[in-house]
Amino acid sequence: MKRSEVDKEKLSPGMRQYYDIKEKYKDELLFYRLGDFYELFFEDGEIASRELELTLTSKNAGLEERVPMCGVPFHSVKPYIEKLVNKGYKVAICEQLEDPKNAKGMVKRGVVDVISKGTIVDFELLNEHDHNYIASILDFSFTYVLCYADISTGSLNVMNIEHKKEKLLNEILNLKMKEVILKDNLDTELIGLLKGTYGIEVSISSELLETGCEELINSVEDIRFKEGLKHLLYYLLVRELKDVSHIKKVNIVHNEDYLEMDVHTIRNLELFETLRLKERTYSLIWLLDKTKTSMGSRKLKEYLMHPLKDIEKIEERYDKITTLNTEFILKDQLRDYLYEIYDIERLCGKVACGSLNARDLLQLKNSLKVLPEIKRIVKELKFDYKIEEHKELYELLEKGIYEDPPVTLKEGFLIKEGYNEELDELKKIRSGGKNFIAEFETKLKEQTGIKNLKVGYNRVFGYYIEISKGQIKEVSDHLNWERRQTLANCERYISPELKEKEALILNAEEKIIEMEYNLFNEIKEQVKKVLIPLKDTAEIISELDAIISLAVCADEYHFVRPTLNQNHEIKVLDGFHPVIKKVSNDAYVPNDCIMDPTITTLLITGPNMSGKSTYMRQLAIIILMAQMGSFVPACSANLPIIDKIFTRIGASDDLVSGESTFMVEMNEARNAICNATEDSLILFDELGRGTATYDGMSLAQAILEYVNKTIKCKTLFSTHYHELTSLEREIPSIKNVHVSAHEENGMITFLHKVKNGAVDKSYGIHVAHLAGMPKELTDRASVILKSYEHKKEKEPTKEKVQLSMQFEEQPKEDPVLKFLNGVDPVYMTPIEAINTLYELKQILENKK
């Protein structure tokens, strides 16, 4: 049964209320609170039952037919929401807005929160190492405006992007956007790429915020930025009902301040995840992340994602690392204190969004507790951080919040004794009912002089005062007692005071829970007042943690402080790839990389598996680490400031877009060539191998010439086209180097050492042997190779002949010889050798 097919007027009052609320949230799955359950009806119920693997039941809604329904308990709803959100659904939470006991008629209900991929704030659903960004994209025909926020941390950023779709996608993918909001659905290509190819949630919203957040919006001058902010904030405030009071500033991102990398470079260098398994383990960030807080981990990732170009700012980070490693005792103390700090950024987000519980406030209190010690050490180190201790907030939380509170807020045990007198009195009554009876009984005996007076309790009449028949005359009218029950040998009374205490005792539990909840909310409001100073403190802690992490890595892995220059000189001595050295079981061979200002290209030759790609990657990583403010993996390093890094490493088809290996190769090469400047770094690994030998070699040579004569940027170019090494004689800015290998008795040993000069041998068959190819096959390949080499040596130089207009019948050429004449094994890769053998066999079979 579909909701659109239902006659609303025939629905029961309760289901009609659901229907009206659902009409406002048609695109969301509505979790409708009924008692202890969230229930979903009609199509929502069918979807939820399928996706969450729940039993689909039905409910009487006043119609002839029962409506589909499924439900989940309210106290364990988070895992269900997480699963649905991860599958791309949006969830609207509909709560009871008043106490059912006080409600007249139908309990008021309304949606209090909308949760989507980009607006999650709960710790349990978020990756502690990553921001959770939601972005607005506005297309101004000549430029894109990207406005993005992380609700969980309260960061808000805006930037201009050149009107090129690939650059827009590059930013979205690099920042790992979880959700993107477009103003319309006209750009179907962009929607298809975001949603279909990259799995990013896309929402359509054309409205702009008309009132509210004026201070935030007016803090930027660019009209386009203002519109971008209004577009994003409307979606957050109106559509998703978010409180953004913890966002107080807009960060305008200037990409020209940072070293630029496209998504291919980040992937090829394995900065944040490995190429093969797509995991964080064994990536560069995995190696560098020695942080003690989640905030520090995210900040370190920002450093690596946005390496600096300002030498002064980079040197400031170097100075801090030097100081920390000199004052290593203070550094270790700082790390111990940082370990005590929880994710203050996201705690602030939970305060603003109203999802905070008492355990979160305990985490905040414990974080504030160590701030005075951190401030003391930072002062000793003479770092320019102004850390606020938040003493008043700490004292409030220390005095108010119970040490072991429950997860929910309606179970009591939130507020400590001594915080509120009335609450303490209620707790005393709850825990000391028997004591109260005894004390009250003694008090009455003293007042009345009735020695056999008793105070008792039963479920029918509640608390009572019992007087024996012989003492009834002692009960005077001024006591204002009211006769409640007459028994054979006694009378039972109640007094105004006892009635009052009875109400207190019997309702103490309920009142305690209500009062603790109200007091907790008051404390939460006090925390909300200092969110901005708390966020400032969190920012300082994150920076401090990230710098300490780099200092620990510098000390542990023996990194060195680089020297930065502005004359395009690269001089790295005994450089190494830090991750490979860390995880390798074999002894790592370090290598120099020396390019004086006159050398722009290192042309790298050598056998497969010898380490050419590693050598190229390690230079890029050394430069990235240097510009993020880290020490670098080398014995010494003198480096220029690089503005962009482009890579073309590895060969893989883009199956999603249907592009071949060679097309992908050319697209990435074109991106580098068209966007690189004199201050850029390009890494080309065996460019041109995706097409025929001579096509590839021609393209590779043309690209080398263009890069050296037109762009003149630093380039590392590895190749198996040995003919290209002759370019060193023609273009002075090209220098030949090779990765050495030792051959003995038909076996090859890779030395992994980069030396000057070129090599003229590929060792392809040796590599095939190492890869486990059958010996029969590699032996046969060796025989074929020798015949080709012999034939090439004897082959006379062909002269250019003027063609005549006479056409004579030419003898038919043997197809085998024709095929072999077109093959040159010197330039073959192992896979090409296998394919050649296969084709040769096919020709022979056809000939028969």
Side-chain angles (χ1 to χ4, degrees):
M1 180 188 296
K2 294 184 179 179
R3 184 173 48 86
S4 57
E5 300 170 350
V6 170
D7 183 354
K8 175 185 170 183
E9 300 306 319
K10 293 181 179 179
L11 290 171
S12 63
M15 192 53 66
R16 196 177 302 142
Q17 185 188 51
Y18 164 85
Y19 189 97
D20 290 338
I21 295 172
K22 178 62 186 176
E23 278 295 296
K24 299 174 184 176
Y25 295 92
K26 295 179 180 179
D27 298 331
E28 290 80 15
L29 297 178
L30 183 64
F31 276 56
Y32 191 71
R33 179 72 178 272
L34 287 170
D36 290 340
F37 282 82
Y38 286 110
E39 296 184 356
L40 299 97
F41 302 100
F42 297 104
E43 296 96 324
D44 286 5
E46 293 172 352
I47 291 170
S49 68
R50 181 181 69 247
E51 299 291 359
L52 299 175
E53 299 178 2
L54 299 172
T55 301
L56 183 67
T57 60
S58 60
K59 184 172 183 174
N60 185 4
L63 305 172
E64 293 180 5
E65 185 181 349
R66 294 169 69 89
V67 302
M69 180 199 82
C70 76
V72 296
F74 86 95
H75 60 271
S76 59
V77 71
K78 282 185 181 180
Y80 298 109
I81 292 175
E82 178 185 13
K83 192 170 184 179
L84 289 170
V85 170
N86 285 337
K87 286 175 176 281
Y89 295 99
K90 296 178 185 177
V91 173
I93 306 296
C94 180
E95 294 284 4
Q96 297 172 172
L97 301 181
E98 60 180 347
D99 191 329
K101 293 178 181 178
N102 303 326
K104 295 181 179 179
M106 187 74 64
V107 176
K108 290 182 182 178
R109 290 182 176 86
V111 172
V112 297
D113 194 14
V114 177
I115 304 169
S116 58
K117 278 187 179 180
T119 57
I120 300 170
V121 294
D122 284 329
F123 293 174
E124 298 86 352
L125 311 182
L126 294 171
N127 184 335
E128 63 178 341
H129 303 296
D130 286 330
H131 281 287
N132 195 66
Y133 285 129
I134 180 171
S136 152
I137 300 172
L138 293 185
D139 186 345
F140 287 95
S141 298
F142 55 91
T143 185
Y144 291 110
V145 167
L146 184 67
C147 184
Y148 57 99
D150 182 352
I151 301 301
S152 69
T153 63
S155 67
L156 178 59
N157 311 272
V158 65
M159 68 167 74
N160 260 328
I161 298 174
E162 188 180 349
H163 201 264
K164 292 181 179 178
K165 204 160 288 183
E166 62 184 30
K167 292 207 169 187
L168 175 65
L169 283 169
N170 192 68
E171 287 295 337
I172 291 170
L173 295 175
N174 283 351
L175 291 167
K176 282 196 169 181
M177 301 291 183
K178 298 298 188 297
E179 186 176 354
V180 164
I181 310 155
L182 301 177
K183 204 168 184 181
D184 55 52
N185 57 1
L186 298 178
D187 196 337
T188 54
E189 181 191 3
L190 180 60
I191 294 172
L193 283 169
L194 291 173
K195 202 165 187 174
T197 306
Y198 301 111
I200 298 170
E201 187 64 31
V202 177
S203 301
I204 306 300
S205 172
S206 58
E207 293 87 354
L208 302 180
L209 190 69
E210 295 181 1
T211 58
C213 298
E214 286 84 1
E215 186 178 344
L216 204 59
I217 294 166
N218 293 330
S219 66
V220 298
E221 295 181 0
D222 194 314
I223 296 174
R224 297 166 301 179
F225 287 174
K226 289 180 186 289
E227 190 167 338
L229 289 169
K230 288 178 180 179
H231 185 231
L232 177 61
L233 290 170
Y234 176 89
Y235 185 83
L236 294 176
L237 290 167
V238 180
R239 291 278 294 272
E240 303 245 325
L241 306 174
K242 300 302 179 203
D243 186 336
V244 295
S245 58
H246 58 313
I247 302 177
K248 288 298 180 184
K249 68 175 181 179
V250 181
N251 178 35
I252 300 175
V253 179
H254 302 284
N255 279 329
E256 60 273 14
D257 293 341
Y258 306 106
L259 186 154
E260 184 180 322
M261 298 175 284
D262 60 20
V263 68
H264 307 295
T265 298
I266 289 172
R267 185 184 67 229
N268 288 332
L269 296 179
E270 298 183 306
L271 299 186
F272 305 112
E273 63 182 23
T274 57
L275 276 168
R276 180 170 295 181
L277 299 177
K278 308 294 183 186
E279 291 180 352
R280 192 174 193 265
T281 304
Y282 304 134
S283 66
L284 182 60
I285 194 69
W286 164 80
L287 182 89
L288 296 179
D289 193 349
K290 307 289 183 183
T291 57
K292 293 294 185 179
T293 70
S294 301
M295 301 176 292
S297 182
R298 293 193 294 271
K299 180 61 69 175
L300 187 69
K301 185 176 181 180
E302 286 179 27
Y303 284 178
L304 185 54
M305 178 67 76
H306 297 108
L308 300 168
K309 286 161 59 177
D310 187 323
I311 291 181
E312 187 177 337
K313 290 181 179 178
I314 297 171
E315 293 285 357
E316 282 180 14
R317 291 182 187 173
Y318 292 165
D319 290 341
K320 288 187 171 78
I321 291 172
T322 301
T323 301
L324 286 164
N325 283 340
T326 303
E327 301 288 348
F328 55 88
I329 295 176
L330 292 178
K331 178 184 72 177
D332 290 343
Q333 290 176 359
L334 259 180
R335 295 190 80 207
D336 290 340
Y337 287 125
L338 286 171
Y339 186 70
E340 302 296 321
I341 292 183
Y342 292 85
D343 198 336
I344 299 175
E345 278 184 336
R346 285 187 167 157
L347 286 171
C348 289
K350 292 188 79 172
V351 172
C353 295
S355 60
L356 195 78
N357 61 33
R359 293 185 181 183
D360 295 328
L361 286 185
L362 270 186
Q363 289 184 0
L364 182 58
K365 184 194 81 172
N366 293 332
S367 301
L368 300 181
K369 184 178 181 180
V370 297
L371 288 182
E373 289 301 315
I374 291 175
K375 183 177 181 179
R376 175 187 61 79
I377 296 172
V378 166
K379 190 175 181 181
E380 284 189 50
L381 293 169
K382 298 180 180 177
F383 287 172
D384 55 347
Y385 295 125
K386 295 180 180 178
I387 299 175
E388 188 175 338
E389 296 181 19
H390 303 283
K391 287 183 178 178
E392 290 184 7
L393 179 57
Y394 172 76
E395 289 170 1
L396 173 67
L397 298 177
E398 171 65 19
K399 183 181 178 182
I401 302 299
Y402 192 71
E403 291 297 342
D404 187 23
V407 176
T408 63
L409 302 179
K410 293 296 181 73
E411 296 179 36
F413 298 99
L414 300 177
I415 306 298
K416 277 184 177 179
E417 290 184 12
Y419 183 77
N420 181 278
E421 289 184 8
E422 187 179 350
L423 179 63
D424 289 346
E425 182 67 24
L426 284 171
K427 288 182 177 179
K428 187 178 179 182
I429 292 170
R430 179 182 65 181
S431 61
K434 291 182 180 179
N435 293 337
F436 162 73
I437 291 173
E439 291 172 4
F440 189 69
E441 186 178 288
T442 302
K443 178 183 173 183
L444 287 180
K445 284 178 179 179
E446 292 175 354
Q447 285 180 350
T448 62
I450 304 173
K451 301 301 180 185
N452 64 354
L453 176 150
K454 292 180 180 179
V455 176
Y457 172 81
N458 66 38
R459 292 186 177 182
V460 178
F461 295 105
Y463 285 96
Y464 56 82
I465 304 165
E466 185 177 285
I467 306 293
S468 64
K469 291 285 187 181
Q471 299 290 320
I472 291 176
K473 59 180 184 295
E474 302 293 332
V475 179
S476 59
D477 293 339
H478 75 274
L479 291 173
N480 292 322
W481 290 4
E482 179 183 334
R483 182 179 278 108
R484 174 62 63 88
Q485 186 181 18
T486 301
L487 299 178
N489 59 350
C490 66
E491 293 283 344
R492 290 177 176 174
Y493 301 84
I494 58 170
S495 70
E497 185 181 0
L498 184 59
K499 196 172 183 179
E500 182 183 343
K501 289 293 182 182
E502 178 186 61
L504 280 174
I505 292 169
L506 296 180
N507 298 316
E509 185 67 36
E510 185 178 336
K511 287 187 175 180
I512 286 169
I513 290 173
E514 183 181 357
M515 184 175 287
E516 288 204 348
Y517 178 72
N518 292 333
L519 290 171
F520 175 82
N521 285 332
E522 288 176 11
I523 292 174
K524 192 166 68 173
E525 287 302 312
Q526 292 299 314
V527 176
K528 204 169 182 179
K529 290 177 182 177
V530 293
L531 277 187
I532 303 309
L534 272 176
K535 279 190 61 186
D536 293 339
T537 301
E539 177 71 15
I540 292 171
I541 294 297
S542 67
E543 288 184 19
L544 190 60
D545 197 13
I547 290 292
I548 291 172
S549 179
L550 295 177
V552 170
C553 289
D555 182 49
E556 182 176 339
Y557 303 128
H558 308 293
F559 295 163
V560 297
R561 177 171 180 158
T563 302
L564 303 177
N565 66 69
Q566 293 179 307
N567 63 354
H568 297 91
E569 179 183 5
I570 293 177
K571 187 175 182 181
V572 177
L573 301 181
D574 284 342
F576 58 92
H577 192 299
V579 178
I580 294 177
K581 184 174 181 180
K582 167 74 174 174
V583 302
S584 177
N585 294 324
D586 302 323
Y588 189 92
V589 179
N591 276 299
D592 300 343
C593 183
I594 299 173
M595 302 174 75
D596 63 42
T598 64
I599 299 296
T600 58
T601 299
L602 291 185
L603 187 57
I604 310 165
T605 50
N608 287 319
M609 293 176 59
S610 60
K612 298 190 300 296
S613 297
T614 299
Y615 179 70
M616 298 169 74
R617 283 189 176 101
Q618 82 183 31
L619 175 63
I621 284 173
I622 286 170
I623 287 171
L624 283 174
M625 288 176 62
Q627 290 187 219
M628 73 180 283
S630 169
F631 286 11
V632 299
C635 284
S636 70
N638 189 352
L639 302 166
I641 294 296
I642 298 295
D643 65 350
K644 302 173 185 177
I645 295 180
F646 300 95
T647 66
R648 172 55 212 162
I649 299 174
S652 60
D653 293 352
D654 189 344
L655 299 177
V656 176
S657 63
E659 292 181 346
S660 67
T661 298
F662 185 63
M663 190 60 180
V664 172
E665 197 174 355
M666 289 299 101
N667 278 335
E668 293 182 15
R670 186 251 325 143
N671 180 45
I673 290 166
C674 294
N675 293 294
T677 72
E678 189 179 3
D679 296 322
S680 300
L681 173 69
I682 295 177
L683 308 180
F684 281 154
D685 189 16
E686 298 184 33
L687 196 66
R689 65 182 171 182
T691 186
T693 301
Y694 293 113
D695 277 356
M697 187 165 62
S698 303
L699 278 166
Q701 179 170 336
I703 288 169
L704 268 172
E705 290 174 354
Y706 185 87
V707 168
N708 278 272
K709 293 178 180 179
T710 305
I711 305 174
K712 300 177 182 178
C713 66
K714 296 296 183 186
T715 305
L716 268 60
F717 195 111
S718 75
T719 185
H720 279 101
Y721 299 137
H722 295 267
E723 289 84 352
L724 297 180
T725 58
S726 63
L727 289 173
E728 183 184 53
R729 296 189 295 274
E730 301 171 20
I731 305 174
S733 59
I734 295 179
K735 178 183 177 182
N736 285 328
V737 296
H738 70 278
V739 187
S740 57
H742 177 67
E743 183 184 1
E744 186 174 349
N745 299 324
M747 299 299 293
I748 185 172
T749 303
F750 299 118
L751 302 179
H752 303 296
K753 196 68 180 176
V754 177
K755 299 180 179 178
N756 290 332
V759 293
D760 57 0
K761 196 169 184 181
S762 292
Y763 300 101
I765 295 173
H766 297 82
V767 173
H769 176 71
L770 288 175
M773 285 286 186
K775 188 173 186 303
E776 181 183 356
L777 186 150
T778 54
D779 287 347
R780 176 60 183 154
S782 297
V783 171
I784 295 171
L785 176 62
K786 286 178 182 177
S787 70
Y788 285 154
E789 290 173 342
H790 181 69
K791 188 170 184 178
K792 189 174 181 181
E793 288 171 7
K794 289 190 172 183
E795 193 175 87
T797 304
K798 294 181 180 178
E799 295 180 2
K800 293 181 181 178
V801 180
Q802 179 66 40
L803 294 175
S804 67
M805 296 302 293
Q806 297 176 359
F807 296 93
E808 296 181 3
E809 187 176 349
Q810 299 293 324
K812 290 185 178 181
E813 187 177 0
D814 189 306
V816 175
L817 292 176
K818 182 179 179 181
F819 177 80
L820 290 175
N821 282 332
V823 172
D824 192 343
V826 174
Y827 304 107
M828 275 187 189
T829 63
I831 192 66
E832 287 172 341
I834 295 170
N835 290 336
T836 300
L837 286 172
Y838 178 80
E839 290 178 33
L840 186 60
K841 186 177 178 183
Q842 291 293 111
I843 292 170
L844 286 171
E845 288 178 356
N846 293 336
K847 187 178 178 182
K848 290 176 183 177

